[in-house]
Amino acid sequence: MKRKHPLRRVALTGAATVSGVVLLLALKPETDPAAGRATAPAPGGVPGPETAAPGSGVRAVTGDVVRTRFGPVQVRVSLSGDRIVAAAAVRSPDAAPKSRQLSAGAVPRLNREALAAQSARIDAVSGATYTSEGYRRSLQSALDQAGA
């Protein structure tokens, strides 16, 4: 090809774009995602029974572990009376990079949905159907245990 041929620029731009995408997809997390994942609350998470202020009337209840196609889901809710004041997934699918990516986007949305709905009747997150269903079932078990 000639040096100033218009297709040369297109070919080089395409090759650079593909190379960039491949590099981004190859990135690995710096820490072991399984370490502490099963018990650590999400950022801004739900206070556990040991962290709830004494006499505050807030109690934390952890739902059942729900096995999904891509991994376990478990939800902890904090309740003040019958009102949900916080919700967090203490376990979510994380065995594969794609599962971690989907959970990272879906779980915060599911937490917000649970607070808004004040029940387990929440919408599924598109692209994370199995996680959403597991979240919903674990949330309902936590609410059942709390008697809410």
Side-chain angles (χ1 to χ4, degrees):
M1 272 194 272
K2 291 193 234 176
R3 182 156 173 82
K4 296 197 179 202
H5 197 278
L7 288 179
R8 179 180 179 171
R9 182 174 291 159
V10 171
L12 289 174
T13 302
T17 302
V18 169
S19 297
V21 169
V22 168
L23 287 173
L24 284 174
L25 292 175
L27 289 176
K28 303 269 189 243
E30 291 182 25
T31 59
D32 180 15
R37 180 81 166 143
T39 58
V46 178
E50 64 283 349
T51 60
S56 68
V58 176
R59 67 191 191 284
V61 181
T62 304
D64 296 336
V65 175
V66 177
R67 305 263 177 229
T68 70
R69 179 176 177 181
F70 297 104
V73 179
Q74 187 174 28
V75 177
R76 179 181 298 149
V77 293
S78 288
L79 300 153
S80 178
D82 286 341
R83 182 157 180 76
I84 299 172
V85 294
V90 293
R91 293 184 77 175
S92 61
D94 64 357
K98 184 71 172 176
S99 295
R100 285 190 296 274
Q101 179 186 12
L102 288 173
S103 291
V107 168
R109 289 178 61 188
L110 292 165
N111 293 338
R112 287 190 301 271
E113 288 275 334
L115 285 174
Q118 289 295 306
S119 73
R121 283 175 268 149
I122 56 177
D123 292 332
V125 174
S126 178
T129 307
Y130 292 103
T131 300
S132 297
E133 182 57 29
Y135 186 99
R136 198 172 15 229
R137 288 174 45 204
S138 183
L139 175 59
Q140 184 62 57
S141 76
L143 295 173
D144 290 346
Q145 290 175 38

